[in-house]
Amino acid sequence: IDKERYRLRLYHNQEIDDKNYMLMQLNYLSDYKIIEHFFRDEFKSSPEPENYLIFGHRAERFTINLMLQKRLNDFFTALDRIPEASIDFSRKPIGDSPFYYQGKTAAAYLQQQWESKSANSNLVNYAAGRFDTDHTIYYPTKQFGFLNIIPRAGWRGTYYSKTKEDYTNITYSTRLDTNKQPVITSTTNVLARELNAQMRSVYKLGLETSFKAFKVWETYPGDIINNIRHIAEPYADYSWTP
């Protein structure tokens, strides 16, 4: 690490209007230790600062985002999105039915960039396109007048423009020992080869349950605080993915 060190940080958040916004953050560093050495508070929350540009649009039932994320410091490992477009549907009722829908769909071209000076420096960078869509149906109910039970069912599909497969390669070599006898040694390496595009599907089921209970602690006439309300809200969420 050189004695002369620097950091360039640019960030800008703007509400263009009531429905459109922009988020930007750029960090260019002299070395991978400068945040830890000089900006301890930032290091606790973001030891490897990201670089991104996001344009977003809010609507009543959904949010649309366009993200550009690119690594500027080659001593960090990063996943670049150049770009990623997504639409996020918040949980809303389906017409007049008792069911609710929530989902998210995203399409991106992703690049894995390994840090240049580390144990991973021998790994090869790779890239692929990905289309990911996730949809869930909820059925909210209230039992016994207080217990919320919300079963759900969903499906997630992910398409990759290319995939990889790990395989084991064993090579053998023969040499002669001091007694002129042949000695066979083997070397095992785990390698990867590129495969074609693939669509992966995941089905999932789940159940949320909760209730709220409260009681007023009657302390009147107290000197400072009177009639404190205590609230307890137990919550459980179970998920099952075959």
Side-chain angles (χ1 to χ4, degrees):
I1 298 178
D2 296 333
K3 293 183 179 180
E4 296 184 359
R5 309 169 74 179
Y6 57 85
R7 177 179 81 152
L8 173 64
R9 183 187 182 198
L10 304 174
Y11 61 95
H12 180 74
N13 299 339
Q14 180 175 346
E15 295 284 342
I16 301 173
D17 53 36
D18 294 340
K19 295 184 178 180
N20 300 286
Y21 59 91
M22 181 187 72
L23 309 175
M24 181 189 73
Q25 177 173 285
L26 300 176
N27 292 274
Y28 189 70
L29 312 176
S30 61
D31 56 84
Y32 73 103
K33 284 286 188 178
I34 188 171
I35 303 295
E36 180 181 1
H37 289 171
F38 294 99
F39 307 95
R40 294 292 300 176
D41 291 339
E42 294 181 24
F43 181 77
K44 294 177 183 179
S45 59
S46 180
E48 298 182 6
E50 298 179 335
N51 301 286
Y52 56 79
L53 176 63
I54 300 174
F55 291 97
H57 173 76
R58 303 187 194 96
E60 182 179 357
R61 300 180 64 92
F62 61 88
T63 301
I64 298 176
N65 282 320
L66 179 64
M67 171 188 282
L68 177 65
Q69 190 170 13
K70 180 67 177 176
R71 183 183 71 170
L72 297 181
N73 307 284
D74 60 1
F75 39 76
F76 291 141
T77 294
L79 179 64
D80 294 344
R81 294 170 167 85
I82 47 174
E84 180 181 70
S86 63
I87 180 169
D88 192 346
F89 294 92
S90 58
R91 191 182 303 188
K92 296 290 183 179
I94 304 176
D96 297 329
S97 71
F99 297 95
Y100 283 67
Y101 166 78
Q102 182 177 345
K104 182 176 182 179
T105 298
Y109 185 74
L110 308 176
Q111 287 185 333
Q112 177 67 49
Q113 306 284 345
W114 298 103
E115 53 187 298
S116 57
K117 297 180 180 180
S118 72
N120 293 329
S121 59
N122 61 329
L123 298 178
V124 178
N125 297 334
Y126 56 88
R130 184 184 69 170
F131 177 81
D132 182 71
T133 183
D134 191 353
H135 308 276
T136 306
I137 302 295
Y138 299 84
Y139 181 58
T141 65
K142 178 168 286 189
Q143 306 296 330
F144 312 109
F146 74 96
L147 182 62
N148 299 310
I149 298 179
I150 309 175
R152 66 179 182 269
W155 170 80
R156 182 176 183 177
T158 307
Y159 171 83
Y160 296 91
S161 63
K162 59 182 177 180
T163 57
K164 75 179 184 73
E165 178 186 49
D166 295 330
Y167 67 96
T168 302
N169 182 47
I170 303 176
T171 58
Y172 298 92
S173 61
T174 304
R175 63 179 179 84
L176 298 179
D177 61 12
T178 56
N179 297 323
K180 305 299 182 181
Q181 297 297 319
V183 177
I184 300 176
T185 58
S186 63
T187 303
T188 302
N189 294 307
V190 178
L191 305 175
R193 55 185 165 221
E194 184 177 317
L195 298 180
N196 296 327
Q198 186 177 14
M199 180 71 180
R200 300 174 182 172
S201 293
V202 174
Y203 299 93
K204 49 190 178 180
L205 298 174
L207 179 70
E208 301 175 28
T209 180
S210 66
F211 70 90
K212 181 181 292 187
F214 68 90
K215 183 176 179 60
V216 176
W217 179 21
E218 298 181 358
T219 59
Y220 183 83
D223 296 333
I224 301 176
I225 301 176
N226 300 312
N227 297 338
I228 302 174
R229 170 175 291 189
H230 293 71
I231 300 176
E233 190 171 1
Y235 174 84
D237 189 355
Y238 176 77
S239 298
W240 179 67
T241 301

